[in-house]
């Protein structure tokens, strides 16, 4: 067995993020009996202290009860330029209209086979990755025409800004 290289470690981190996103999607698949949902394409950009976040995931988690809001999370992988596109069932299909708590996870290093006890190092404040601590929210209107853009400008402060409130999006 060959030793892991830096590119292997980067691939492992990407796969970990992808598996986390897919597991959230799998949980959502059990919440609704419909296989064809009305989705609105959503994309945007994530920055931290004015600079693009270059890796990680953005996940829109439904707020409220399934009776009030569709039980379908949407997840997108953050690209090196900070951009993302959300998917609910298929790549880039978007988000089901409703209210969402937004979670952003960006981990630059952590445990590996060589260093199993290494701490996770976050590229952004860890609060943004916790649905109980992040203040990021988004509303996808049912009557939206065309793609929506949600940009998230993350800051160092202990209180996350609500950068994607209903006035924080624009149709593109």
């Amino acid at each position: 067995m060959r030793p892991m290289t830096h590119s292997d470690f980067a691939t492992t981190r990407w796969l970990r993020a992808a598996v986390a996103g897919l597991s959230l999607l799998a949980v959502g698949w059990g919440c609704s009996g419909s296989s064809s949902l009305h989705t609105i394409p959503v994309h945007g950009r994530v920055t931290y202290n004015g600079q693009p976040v270059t890796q990680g995931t953005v996940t829109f988690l439904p707020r409220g009860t399934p009776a009030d809001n569709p039980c379908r999370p949407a997840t997108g992988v953050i690209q090196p330029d900070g951009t993302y596109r959300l998917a609910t069932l298929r790549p880039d299909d978007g988000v089901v209209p409703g209210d969402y708590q937004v979670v952003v996870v960006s981990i630059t290093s952590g445990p590996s086979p060589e260093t199993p006890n290494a701490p996770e190092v976050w590229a952004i404040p860890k609060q943004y990755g916790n649905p109980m601590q992040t203040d990021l929210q988004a509303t996808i209107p049912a009557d939206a025409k065309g793609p929506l853009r949600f940009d998230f400008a993350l800051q160092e402060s202990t209180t996350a800004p609500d950068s994607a409130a209903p006035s924080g999006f624009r149709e593109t």
Side-chain angles (χ1 to χ4, degrees), residues 1 16 32 36 41 58 61 64 79 97 103 119 124 132 136 141 150 159:
M1 184 165 157
R16 240 188 336 189
S32 172
S36 65
V58 175
L61 297 170
Q79 302 302 307
V103 175
I124 60 174
M132 302 304 286
L136 300 175
F150 286 85
T159 303

Side-chain angles (χ1 to χ4, degrees), residues 131-155:
M132 302 304 286
Q133 294 178 348
T134 182
D135 287 339
L136 300 175
Q137 299 178 14
T139 297
I140 309 300
D143 61 350
K145 307 282 189 268
L148 300 179
R149 181 179 177 111
F150 286 85
D151 292 338
F152 296 100
L154 311 181
Q155 299 294 321

Side-chain angles (χ1 to χ4, degrees), residues 2-80:
R2 69 178 177 80
M4 287 185 71
T5 65
H6 177 71
S7 65
D8 291 336
F9 185 69
T11 301
T12 301
R13 282 184 296 175
W14 183 87
L15 286 173
R16 240 188 336 189
V19 167
L22 288 174
S23 65
L24 285 172
L25 287 174
V27 167
W29 284 331
C31 295
S32 172
S34 173
S35 63
S36 65
L37 296 171
H38 170 66
T39 57
I40 307 293
V42 172
H43 65 279
R45 188 166 189 243
V46 181
T47 58
Y48 173 57
N49 289 335
Q51 298 300 312
V53 174
T54 60
Q55 64 184 17
T57 58
V58 175
T59 303
F60 280 35
L61 297 170
R63 293 178 36 199
T65 65
D68 297 335
N69 198 20
C71 192
R72 294 283 184 172
T75 300
V77 175
I78 300 172
Q79 302 302 307

